[in-house]
Amino acid sequence: MNKFKKNKKKKRNRKPFIDIILYDELLNDKNIEFNHEDYTILFINGQKNNPETKGGCMFLAILATLELLNTDNWNVSMLRQLAYSQVEKNPFEDMNEEEVQNFLDTIMINGTWGGDEALSAIATALNVNFYVMVYYKNNPAYIHEVLGASSNNHYNGFLIWSNNHYDAFVRKERFSTLLDGLHLITSKY
């Protein structure tokens, strides 16, 4: 046996610890209605060889939290198109022309990660407020608000961002249907 050969351990796909009760408390501090007993976490696992889901964890998490995963009308490509159209029509004030063009040039490419700009564009286009629980290294968890709702008649989406990856809070009563929808999208290719 070669003594210089490194002992390679199998990398386990560990789920991050998500404190749903803390999420509940942080949202309630902001007067956002959320009861942790009604929700569970849908861990988003796209497939790297699937062009629809590669780089699309944020888009899949959005579809899950808005309960659109089990419908034929929505998929990752449609959310990418929605973000593209929204930014093309109404570029963000804090983006210069070059940044807007870069966003438009890349957002439609499968594998491109969705970031704050895409999340904001989708929130605005769908009249949704997203509340993202952010876990970042050794910092305390906090809520990042992406407010896109322009009317009182809106929906709230509950997301998790940890280790450069998105997951979703979904209502327990809808979990199995949404999980089936996630499997349907990820198994198409």
Side-chain angles (χ1 to χ4, degrees), residues 20-71:
I20 194 167
I21 295 172
L22 174 62
Y23 187 76
D24 189 349
E25 291 169 3
L26 292 171
L27 285 174
N28 286 324
D29 287 348
K30 295 178 177 287
N31 294 318
I32 305 302
E33 189 176 318
F34 181 88
N35 182 348
H36 69 273
E37 293 176 3
D38 296 335
Y39 285 82
T40 190
I41 299 167
L42 180 61
F43 290 101
I44 305 297
N45 292 315
Q47 296 174 336
K48 291 183 174 144
N49 61 347
N50 180 338
E52 179 70 12
T53 61
K54 181 181 176 185
C57 62
M58 182 194 79
F59 301 103
L60 289 169
I62 290 170
L63 291 172
T65 196
L66 298 181
E67 300 181 358
L68 299 171
L69 267 175
N70 59 333
T71 66

Tab-separated table of all heavy atoms in Angstrom, residues 20-71:
chain	number	residue	atom	x	y	z
A	20	ILE	N	-36.299	25.519	12.703
A	20	ILE	CA	-37.591	26.029	12.249
A	20	ILE	C	-38.288	26.837	13.339
A	20	ILE	O	-39.028	27.783	13.046
A	20	ILE	CB	-38.480	24.875	11.722
A	20	ILE	CG1	-39.675	25.437	10.931
A	20	ILE	CG2	-38.928	23.969	12.835
A	20	ILE	CD1	-40.412	24.390	10.123
A	21	ILE	N	-38.027	26.527	14.612
A	21	ILE	CA	-38.632	27.298	15.706
A	21	ILE	C	-38.018	28.702	15.753
A	21	ILE	O	-38.726	29.691	15.935
A	21	ILE	CB	-38.483	26.561	17.048
A	21	ILE	CG1	-39.285	25.247	16.989
A	21	ILE	CG2	-38.949	27.428	18.207
A	21	ILE	CD1	-39.075	24.328	18.160
A	22	LEU	N	-36.709	28.797	15.524
A	22	LEU	CA	-36.062	30.111	15.460
A	22	LEU	C	-36.618	30.923	14.286
A	22	LEU	O	-36.871	32.120	14.413
A	22	LEU	CB	-34.545	29.961	15.317
A	22	LEU	CG	-33.759	31.262	15.104
A	22	LEU	CD1	-33.926	32.198	16.298
A	22	LEU	CD2	-32.289	30.957	14.850
A	23	TYR	N	-36.833	30.269	13.149
A	23	TYR	CA	-37.410	30.933	11.983
A	23	TYR	C	-38.781	31.511	12.343
A	23	TYR	O	-39.085	32.658	12.034
A	23	TYR	CB	-37.518	29.934	10.834
A	23	TYR	CG	-37.942	30.508	9.504
A	23	TYR	CD1	-37.054	31.231	8.726
A	23	TYR	CD2	-39.220	30.300	9.007
A	23	TYR	CE1	-37.427	31.737	7.497
A	23	TYR	CE2	-39.604	30.797	7.779
A	23	TYR	CZ	-38.697	31.513	7.021
A	23	TYR	OH	-39.078	32.015	5.802
A	24	ASP	N	-39.575	30.706	13.013
A	24	ASP	CA	-40.894	31.122	13.488
A	24	ASP	C	-40.761	32.380	14.363
A	24	ASP	O	-41.461	33.378	14.164
A	24	ASP	CB	-41.523	29.974	14.278
A	24	ASP	CG	-42.982	30.184	14.649
A	24	ASP	OD1	-43.507	31.298	14.497
A	24	ASP	OD2	-43.597	29.207	15.113
A	25	GLU	N	-39.841	32.351	15.325
A	25	GLU	CA	-39.646	33.492	16.234
A	25	GLU	C	-39.183	34.743	15.479
A	25	GLU	O	-39.672	35.848	15.731
A	25	GLU	CB	-38.636	33.128	17.316
A	25	GLU	CG	-39.130	32.094	18.301
A	25	GLU	CD	-38.033	31.549	19.208
A	25	GLU	OE1	-36.875	32.008	19.131
A	25	GLU	OE2	-38.352	30.638	20.000
A	26	LEU	N	-38.234	34.577	14.573
A	26	LEU	CA	-37.730	35.728	13.817
A	26	LEU	C	-38.830	36.355	12.959
A	26	LEU	O	-38.921	37.579	12.850
A	26	LEU	CB	-36.541	35.315	12.938
A	26	LEU	CG	-35.255	34.929	13.667
A	26	LEU	CD1	-34.237	34.331	12.704
A	26	LEU	CD2	-34.660	36.131	14.400
A	27	LEU	N	-39.653	35.523	12.349
A	27	LEU	CA	-40.759	36.047	11.540
A	27	LEU	C	-41.819	36.711	12.414
A	27	LEU	O	-42.337	37.776	12.066
A	27	LEU	CB	-41.392	34.941	10.703
A	27	LEU	CG	-40.590	34.492	9.498
A	27	LEU	CD1	-41.245	33.293	8.842
A	27	LEU	CD2	-40.429	35.616	8.491
A	28	ASN	N	-42.142	36.096	13.528
A	28	ASN	CA	-43.129	36.693	14.422
A	28	ASN	C	-42.652	38.031	14.968
A	28	ASN	O	-43.468	38.935	15.186
A	28	ASN	CB	-43.492	35.726	15.548
A	28	ASN	CG	-44.380	34.598	15.051
A	28	ASN	OD1	-45.231	34.798	14.195
A	28	ASN	ND2	-44.166	33.402	15.568
A	29	ASP	N	-41.333	38.183	15.181
A	29	ASP	CA	-40.783	39.483	15.597
A	29	ASP	C	-41.038	40.553	14.541
A	29	ASP	O	-41.108	41.736	14.849
A	29	ASP	CB	-39.270	39.385	15.856
A	29	ASP	CG	-38.957	38.638	17.144
A	29	ASP	OD1	-39.887	38.399	17.948
A	29	ASP	OD2	-37.770	38.282	17.343
A	30	LYS	N	-41.180	40.137	13.292
A	30	LYS	CA	-41.451	41.071	12.195
A	30	LYS	C	-42.947	41.134	11.861
A	30	LYS	O	-43.335	41.671	10.834
A	30	LYS	CB	-40.666	40.649	10.947
A	30	LYS	CG	-39.168	40.744	11.110
A	30	LYS	CD	-38.479	40.250	9.843
A	30	LYS	CE	-36.988	40.410	9.946
A	30	LYS	NZ	-36.560	41.793	9.846
A	31	ASN	N	-43.764	40.517	12.695
A	31	ASN	CA	-45.219	40.460	12.501
A	31	ASN	C	-45.615	39.737	11.218
A	31	ASN	O	-46.591	40.101	10.560
A	31	ASN	CB	-45.836	41.869	12.541
A	31	ASN	CG	-45.694	42.491	13.905
A	31	ASN	OD1	-45.883	41.824	14.923
A	31	ASN	ND2	-45.339	43.762	13.942
A	32	ILE	N	-44.848	38.716	10.863
A	32	ILE	CA	-45.163	37.882	9.710
A	32	ILE	C	-45.754	36.588	10.241
A	32	ILE	O	-45.166	35.915	11.088
A	32	ILE	CB	-43.892	37.558	8.875
A	32	ILE	CG1	-43.157	38.840	8.465
A	32	ILE	CG2	-44.236	36.688	7.677
A	32	ILE	CD1	-43.973	39.803	7.665
A	33	GLU	N	-46.927	36.234	9.735
A	33	GLU	CA	-47.619	35.051	10.225
A	33	GLU	C	-46.933	33.784	9.714
A	33	GLU	O	-46.800	33.563	8.508
A	33	GLU	CB	-49.070	35.069	9.752
A	33	GLU	CG	-49.901	33.992	10.386
A	33	GLU	CD	-51.354	34.107	9.978
A	33	GLU	OE1	-51.890	35.221	9.936
A	33	GLU	OE2	-51.935	33.044	9.694
A	34	PHE	N	-46.462	32.979	10.649
A	34	PHE	CA	-45.807	31.704	10.332
A	34	PHE	C	-45.883	30.844	11.586
A	34	PHE	O	-45.467	31.262	12.654
A	34	PHE	CB	-44.338	31.933	9.952
A	34	PHE	CG	-43.590	30.680	9.588
A	34	PHE	CD1	-43.599	30.215	8.282
A	34	PHE	CD2	-42.875	29.965	10.540
A	34	PHE	CE1	-42.902	29.059	7.934
A	34	PHE	CE2	-42.179	28.814	10.209
A	34	PHE	CZ	-42.186	28.359	8.896
A	35	ASN	N	-46.427	29.666	11.451
A	35	ASN	CA	-46.509	28.747	12.584
A	35	ASN	C	-45.696	27.512	12.229
A	35	ASN	O	-46.066	26.751	11.330
A	35	ASN	CB	-47.959	28.378	12.874
A	35	ASN	CG	-48.088	27.466	14.077
A	35	ASN	OD1	-47.111	26.923	14.588
A	35	ASN	ND2	-49.314	27.281	14.532
A	36	HIS	N	-44.589	27.306	12.935
A	36	HIS	CA	-43.679	26.213	12.600
A	36	HIS	C	-44.350	24.841	12.658
A	36	HIS	O	-43.895	23.905	12.017
A	36	HIS	CB	-42.442	26.242	13.512
A	36	HIS	CG	-42.712	25.901	14.931
A	36	HIS	ND1	-43.109	26.848	15.852
A	36	HIS	CD2	-42.676	24.720	15.585
A	36	HIS	CE1	-43.288	26.272	17.012
A	36	HIS	NE2	-43.026	24.978	16.889
A	37	GLU	N	-45.425	24.716	13.388
A	37	GLU	CA	-46.113	23.430	13.472
A	37	GLU	C	-46.849	23.080	12.179
A	37	GLU	O	-47.177	21.914	11.940
A	37	GLU	CB	-47.073	23.424	14.658
A	37	GLU	CG	-46.343	23.482	15.987
A	37	GLU	CD	-47.269	23.572	17.181
A	37	GLU	OE1	-48.500	23.529	16.999
A	37	GLU	OE2	-46.745	23.679	18.305
A	38	ASP	N	-47.094	24.089	11.338
A	38	ASP	CA	-47.796	23.865	10.074
A	38	ASP	C	-46.851	23.595	8.907
A	38	ASP	O	-47.309	23.276	7.807
A	38	ASP	CB	-48.653	25.087	9.716
A	38	ASP	CG	-49.762	25.324	10.730
A	38	ASP	OD1	-50.174	24.362	11.405
A	38	ASP	OD2	-50.207	26.483	10.845
A	39	TYR	N	-45.548	23.760	9.121
A	39	TYR	CA	-44.580	23.686	8.029
A	39	TYR	C	-43.534	22.610	8.258
A	39	TYR	O	-43.255	22.206	9.377
A	39	TYR	CB	-43.852	25.030	7.871
A	39	TYR	CG	-44.710	26.087	7.232
A	39	TYR	CD1	-45.625	26.818	7.982
A	39	TYR	CD2	-44.634	26.351	5.869
A	39	TYR	CE1	-46.425	27.780	7.401
A	39	TYR	CE2	-45.432	27.313	5.274
A	39	TYR	CZ	-46.327	28.020	6.044
A	39	TYR	OH	-47.120	28.966	5.452
A	40	THR	N	-42.964	22.163	7.167
A	40	THR	CA	-41.811	21.282	7.197
A	40	THR	C	-40.838	21.767	6.118
A	40	THR	O	-41.165	22.645	5.332
A	40	THR	CB	-42.220	19.799	6.978
A	40	THR	OG1	-41.101	18.972	7.254
A	40	THR	CG2	-42.719	19.569	5.558
A	41	ILE	N	-39.665	21.178	6.086
A	41	ILE	CA	-38.648	21.611	5.129
A	41	ILE	C	-38.608	20.629	3.965
A	41	ILE	O	-38.568	19.420	4.157
A	41	ILE	CB	-37.265	21.686	5.800
A	41	ILE	CG1	-37.296	22.699	6.934
A	41	ILE	CG2	-36.190	22.036	4.775
A	41	ILE	CD1	-36.100	22.638	7.858
A	42	LEU	N	-38.637	21.178	2.757
A	42	LEU	CA	-38.429	20.378	1.553
A	42	LEU	C	-37.006	20.658	1.094
A	42	LEU	O	-36.696	21.769	0.656
A	42	LEU	CB	-39.439	20.738	0.463
A	42	LEU	CG	-39.318	19.952	-0.846
A	42	LEU	CD1	-39.515	18.454	-0.606
A	42	LEU	CD2	-40.334	20.443	-1.858
A	43	PHE	N	-36.126	19.672	1.276
A	43	PHE	CA	-34.746	19.823	0.846
A	43	PHE	C	-34.695	19.642	-0.663
A	43	PHE	O	-35.182	18.646	-1.193
A	43	PHE	CB	-33.835	18.814	1.560
A	43	PHE	CG	-33.669	19.115	3.021
A	43	PHE	CD1	-34.381	18.420	3.971
A	43	PHE	CD2	-32.802	20.116	3.438
A	43	PHE	CE1	-34.236	18.696	5.322
A	43	PHE	CE2	-32.653	20.413	4.790
A	43	PHE	CZ	-33.365	19.702	5.730
A	44	ILE	N	-34.126	20.615	-1.325
A	44	ILE	CA	-34.090	20.636	-2.788
A	44	ILE	C	-32.824	19.942	-3.266
A	44	ILE	O	-31.719	20.380	-2.967
A	44	ILE	CB	-34.113	22.088	-3.320
A	44	ILE	CG1	-35.327	22.846	-2.769
A	44	ILE	CG2	-34.055	22.122	-4.830
A	44	ILE	CD1	-36.671	22.316	-3.169
A	45	ASN	N	-32.999	18.866	-3.999
A	45	ASN	CA	-31.862	18.167	-4.585
A	45	ASN	C	-32.085	18.060	-6.084
A	45	ASN	O	-32.756	17.152	-6.540
A	45	ASN	CB	-31.715	16.760	-3.991
A	45	ASN	CG	-31.317	16.804	-2.531
A	45	ASN	OD1	-30.442	17.567	-2.166
A	45	ASN	ND2	-31.971	16.016	-1.709
A	46	GLY	N	-31.528	19.007	-6.818
A	46	GLY	CA	-31.584	18.924	-8.272
A	46	GLY	C	-30.560	17.913	-8.752
A	46	GLY	O	-29.732	17.438	-7.993
A	47	GLN	N	-30.619	17.573	-9.996
A	47	GLN	CA	-29.651	16.649	-10.551
A	47	GLN	C	-28.692	17.420	-11.438
A	47	GLN	O	-29.116	18.193	-12.291
A	47	GLN	CB	-30.355	15.561	-11.353
A	47	GLN	CG	-31.240	14.691	-10.484
A	47	GLN	CD	-32.049	13.717	-11.306
A	47	GLN	OE1	-32.309	13.946	-12.478
A	47	GLN	NE2	-32.445	12.623	-10.687
A	48	LYS	N	-27.393	17.189	-11.250
A	48	LYS	CA	-26.381	17.944	-11.981
A	48	LYS	C	-26.456	17.735	-13.485
A	48	LYS	O	-26.091	18.596	-14.250
A	48	LYS	CB	-25.001	17.587	-11.456
A	48	LYS	CG	-24.790	18.113	-10.062
A	48	LYS	CD	-23.408	17.832	-9.583
A	48	LYS	CE	-23.277	18.515	-8.302
A	48	LYS	NZ	-22.708	18.292	-7.237
A	49	ASN	N	-26.926	16.568	-13.918
A	49	ASN	CA	-27.004	16.309	-15.351
A	49	ASN	C	-28.360	16.696	-15.944
A	49	ASN	O	-28.623	16.469	-17.100
A	49	ASN	CB	-26.692	14.844	-15.646
A	49	ASN	CG	-27.672	13.899	-14.974
A	49	ASN	OD1	-28.435	14.309	-14.103
A	49	ASN	ND2	-27.632	12.640	-15.360
A	50	ASN	N	-29.217	17.276	-15.128
A	50	ASN	CA	-30.538	17.695	-15.580
A	50	ASN	C	-30.489	19.190	-15.884
A	50	ASN	O	-30.370	20.005	-14.976
A	50	ASN	CB	-31.571	17.395	-14.491
A	50	ASN	CG	-32.979	17.796	-14.865
A	50	ASN	OD1	-33.187	18.644	-15.731
A	50	ASN	ND2	-33.947	17.211	-14.204
A	51	PRO	N	-30.578	19.583	-17.165
A	51	PRO	CA	-30.462	21.005	-17.494
A	51	PRO	C	-31.554	21.871	-16.871
A	51	PRO	O	-31.374	23.060	-16.681
A	51	PRO	CB	-30.550	21.037	-19.021
A	51	PRO	CG	-31.095	19.719	-19.427
A	51	PRO	CD	-30.785	18.754	-18.340
A	52	GLU	N	-32.675	21.268	-16.517
A	52	GLU	CA	-33.770	22.035	-15.910
A	52	GLU	C	-33.464	22.399	-14.462
A	52	GLU	O	-33.918	23.413	-13.962
A	52	GLU	CB	-35.072	21.232	-15.986
A	52	GLU	CG	-36.267	21.895	-15.367
A	52	GLU	CD	-36.795	23.109	-16.111
A	52	GLU	OE1	-36.389	23.350	-17.255
A	52	GLU	OE2	-37.633	23.816	-15.540
A	53	THR	N	-32.676	21.566	-13.760
A	53	THR	CA	-32.465	21.800	-12.341
A	53	THR	C	-31.039	22.170	-11.974
A	53	THR	O	-30.798	22.645	-10.871
A	53	THR	CB	-32.863	20.552	-11.526
A	53	THR	OG1	-32.040	19.442	-11.914
A	53	THR	CG2	-34.323	20.220	-11.737
A	54	LYS	N	-30.079	21.973	-12.844
A	54	LYS	CA	-28.696	22.325	-12.535
A	54	LYS	C	-28.612	23.819	-12.267
A	54	LYS	O	-29.018	24.629	-13.081
A	54	LYS	CB	-27.797	21.941	-13.709
A	54	LYS	CG	-26.350	22.255	-13.473
A	54	LYS	CD	-25.519	21.874	-14.685
A	54	LYS	CE	-24.089	22.292	-14.460
A	54	LYS	NZ	-23.283	22.044	-15.646
A	55	GLY	N	-28.092	24.176	-11.102
A	55	GLY	CA	-28.010	25.588	-10.746
A	55	GLY	C	-29.359	26.195	-10.423
A	55	GLY	O	-29.498	27.402	-10.309
A	56	GLY	N	-30.363	25.354	-10.265
A	56	GLY	CA	-31.717	25.868	-10.111
A	56	GLY	C	-32.347	25.665	-8.752
A	56	GLY	O	-33.570	25.684	-8.641
A	57	CYS	N	-31.533	25.487	-7.701
A	57	CYS	CA	-32.128	25.215	-6.388
A	57	CYS	C	-33.021	26.366	-5.929
A	57	CYS	O	-34.060	26.129	-5.323
A	57	CYS	CB	-31.060	24.895	-5.353
A	57	CYS	SG	-29.882	26.222	-5.018
A	58	MET	N	-32.638	27.613	-6.220
A	58	MET	CA	-33.475	28.736	-5.810
A	58	MET	C	-34.821	28.683	-6.533
A	58	MET	O	-35.874	28.871	-5.929
A	58	MET	CB	-32.799	30.077	-6.100
A	58	MET	CG	-33.646	31.258	-5.622
A	58	MET	SD	-33.101	32.835	-6.271
A	58	MET	CE	-33.806	32.773	-7.915
A	59	PHE	N	-34.779	28.384	-7.820
A	59	PHE	CA	-36.014	28.337	-8.598
A	59	PHE	C	-36.913	27.187	-8.135
A	59	PHE	O	-38.125	27.350	-8.010
A	59	PHE	CB	-35.687	28.205	-10.088
A	59	PHE	CG	-34.852	29.339	-10.609
A	59	PHE	CD1	-33.496	29.182	-10.826
A	59	PHE	CD2	-35.412	30.580	-10.859
A	59	PHE	CE1	-32.721	30.224	-11.298
A	59	PHE	CE2	-34.644	31.641	-11.318
A	59	PHE	CZ	-33.299	31.460	-11.538
A	60	LEU	N	-36.312	26.030	-7.853
A	60	LEU	CA	-37.088	24.899	-7.341
A	60	LEU	C	-37.667	25.213	-5.961
A	60	LEU	O	-38.809	24.852	-5.663
A	60	LEU	CB	-36.221	23.641	-7.281
A	60	LEU	CG	-35.849	23.032	-8.629
A	60	LEU	CD1	-34.786	21.958	-8.453
A	60	LEU	CD2	-37.074	22.464	-9.326
A	61	ALA	N	-36.889	25.886	-5.120
A	61	ALA	CA	-37.384	26.268	-3.790
A	61	ALA	C	-38.553	27.245	-3.905
A	61	ALA	O	-39.521	27.148	-3.148
A	61	ALA	CB	-36.253	26.863	-2.956
A	62	ILE	N	-38.480	28.160	-4.853
A	62	ILE	CA	-39.592	29.098	-5.083
A	62	ILE	C	-40.837	28.325	-5.510
A	62	ILE	O	-41.929	28.547	-4.983
A	62	ILE	CB	-39.220	30.156	-6.142
A	62	ILE	CG1	-38.177	31.122	-5.588
A	62	ILE	CG2	-40.459	30.913	-6.625
A	62	ILE	CD1	-37.570	32.046	-6.636
A	63	LEU	N	-40.680	27.420	-6.474
A	63	LEU	CA	-41.824	26.622	-6.924
A	63	LEU	C	-42.423	25.828	-5.766
A	63	LEU	O	-43.640	25.698	-5.661
A	63	LEU	CB	-41.398	25.673	-8.048
A	63	LEU	CG	-41.036	26.325	-9.383
A	63	LEU	CD1	-40.440	25.294	-10.328
A	63	LEU	CD2	-42.244	27.005	-10.007
A	64	ALA	N	-41.561	25.336	-4.869
A	64	ALA	CA	-42.049	24.554	-3.735
A	64	ALA	C	-42.804	25.419	-2.739
A	64	ALA	O	-43.923	25.100	-2.345
A	64	ALA	CB	-40.879	23.848	-3.040
A	65	THR	N	-42.198	26.522	-2.303
A	65	THR	CA	-42.835	27.332	-1.263
A	65	THR	C	-44.108	28.009	-1.762
A	65	THR	O	-45.013	28.264	-0.981
A	65	THR	CB	-41.858	28.350	-0.653
A	65	THR	OG1	-42.403	28.834	0.579
A	65	THR	CG2	-41.580	29.511	-1.576
A	66	LEU	N	-44.196	28.261	-3.066
A	66	LEU	CA	-45.420	28.846	-3.623
A	66	LEU	C	-46.407	27.773	-4.071
A	66	LEU	O	-47.441	28.083	-4.665
A	66	LEU	CB	-45.087	29.781	-4.795
A	66	LEU	CG	-44.225	30.992	-4.447
A	66	LEU	CD1	-43.988	31.854	-5.686
A	66	LEU	CD2	-44.843	31.823	-3.335
A	67	GLU	N	-46.053	26.517	-3.798
A	67	GLU	CA	-46.903	25.366	-4.100
A	67	GLU	C	-47.222	25.237	-5.583
A	67	GLU	O	-48.329	24.899	-5.981
A	67	GLU	CB	-48.167	25.392	-3.242
A	67	GLU	CG	-47.854	25.350	-1.766
A	67	GLU	CD	-49.065	25.343	-0.860
A	67	GLU	OE1	-50.203	25.404	-1.355
A	67	GLU	OE2	-48.865	25.266	0.366
A	68	LEU	N	-46.210	25.482	-6.398
A	68	LEU	CA	-46.380	25.399	-7.843
A	68	LEU	C	-45.677	24.183	-8.445
A	68	LEU	O	-45.748	23.959	-9.648
A	68	LEU	CB	-45.838	26.675	-8.511
A	68	LEU	CG	-46.512	27.974	-8.097
A	68	LEU	CD1	-45.760	29.172	-8.653
A	68	LEU	CD2	-47.953	27.991	-8.577
A	69	LEU	N	-44.985	23.400	-7.627
A	69	LEU	CA	-44.224	22.257	-8.142
A	69	LEU	C	-45.092	21.196	-8.789
A	69	LEU	O	-44.663	20.499	-9.690
A	69	LEU	CB	-43.430	21.598	-7.014
A	69	LEU	CG	-42.010	22.071	-6.815
A	69	LEU	CD1	-41.412	21.401	-5.592
A	69	LEU	CD2	-41.147	21.829	-8.023
A	70	ASN	N	-46.296	21.048	-8.315
A	70	ASN	CA	-47.143	19.967	-8.802
A	70	ASN	C	-48.059	20.404	-9.939
A	70	ASN	O	-48.993	19.720	-10.282
A	70	ASN	CB	-47.973	19.393	-7.653
A	70	ASN	CG	-48.851	20.456	-7.022
A	70	ASN	OD1	-48.523	21.634	-7.069
A	70	ASN	ND2	-49.954	20.055	-6.433
A	71	THR	N	-47.790	21.534	-10.531
A	71	THR	CA	-48.642	22.007	-11.618
A	71	THR	C	-47.902	21.889	-12.941
A	71	THR	O	-46.680	21.947	-12.999
A	71	THR	CB	-49.061	23.480	-11.418
A	71	THR	OG1	-47.903	24.292	-11.520
A	71	THR	CG2	-49.711	23.695	-10.071
